Amino acid sequence: MTNKSSIYCSQTITITEHRILANDLNEHQTVFGGRLLELLDGTASISAARTAHNSTVTAAVNQFDFIAPLKLDDSLIIKSYVSGIGNSSIEVFAKIIGEHLNSGKRFIAATSFLTFVLTDKKIELPTLVPQSPEEVTICNSYSQRRAEYKKSSLAFKTIADSISLE
């Protein structure tokens, strides 16, 4: 039996910053959700790769919650880190922090959980070790989220199997 290595959540942190420009906005003059998801996926994928040290692919955006809108002349910071590790899957938590550049005021704009899967199932993933109070809270509820995701995935598969191509 081999000893599994471990990794701290802090070793998987990835931070991306982006200034909101006119081409990022939708008809409501807030950041277009698709643009935000594009930035989010790119950032979160780095956290997953830092854990696997191998190729991963996005399997799901399990949850995405908009909390406050991002507008022109704001900036956004995406901070992600690994929040759970399965046999061949990695869950990443991300928070999107907005900043009103004219005042410097920061706020939580959105949060999300994404799942990435290994392309090589033979890779042994490390054990995750949370340290900060936020990491402990997020990681402690991983098993519950994973069970809920599996249940909803089975329900969706039933629906997907019945969808017509017409």
Side-chain angles (χ1 to χ4, degrees):
M1 181 175 188
T2 62
N3 289 333
K4 252 183 142 174
S5 63
S6 60
I7 188 168
Y8 293 108
C9 292
S10 60
Q11 291 175 281
T12 70
I13 291 174
T14 304
I15 299 172
T16 302
E17 296 190 46
H18 180 77
R19 183 180 186 127
I20 309 301
L21 301 172
N23 63 344
D24 295 320
L25 304 179
N26 60 27
E27 68 276 14
H28 304 291
Q29 300 306 300
T30 59
V31 171
F32 178 61
R35 177 71 171 126
L36 197 52
L37 287 171
E38 174 188 7
L39 295 167
L40 173 67
D41 188 43
T43 302
S45 71
I46 296 170
S47 291
R50 285 187 173 148
T51 302
H53 295 294
N54 210 296
S55 196
T56 62
V57 295
T58 309
V61 177
N62 301 101
Q63 185 173 339
F64 187 96
D65 294 307
F66 287 104
I67 297 168
L70 294 154
K71 300 178 179 181
L72 190 64
D73 292 328
D74 286 347
S75 69
L76 65 87
I77 300 162
I78 300 173
K79 182 177 181 180
S80 68
Y81 57 86
V82 171
S83 53
I85 297 176
N87 293 327
S88 61
S89 65
I90 299 168
E91 180 193 70
V92 176
F93 170 73
K95 57 185 172 184
I96 294 105
I97 302 164
E99 181 179 352
H100 301 306
L101 292 173
N102 293 333
S103 69
K105 182 181 177 199
R106 289 189 172 190
F107 57 96
I108 298 294
T111 59
S112 185
F113 289 95
L114 302 90
T115 298
F116 295 84
V117 294
L118 297 169
T119 56
D120 180 353
K121 305 293 185 196
K122 296 175 193 152
I123 302 297
E124 184 174 3
L125 292 170
T127 301
L128 186 63
V129 181
Q131 292 177 294
S132 75
E134 177 184 296
E135 292 167 356
V136 169
T137 299
I138 298 290
C139 292
N140 280 349
S141 56
Y142 168 66
S143 295
Q144 180 183 350
R145 282 191 306 277
R146 187 171 184 200
E148 290 170 8
Y149 298 154
K150 283 184 177 184
K151 185 178 176 182
S152 65
S153 291
L154 288 173
F156 181 74
K157 183 173 180 355
T158 301
I159 293 169
D161 289 345
S162 68
I163 295 173
S164 168
L165 294 176
E166 296 176 12

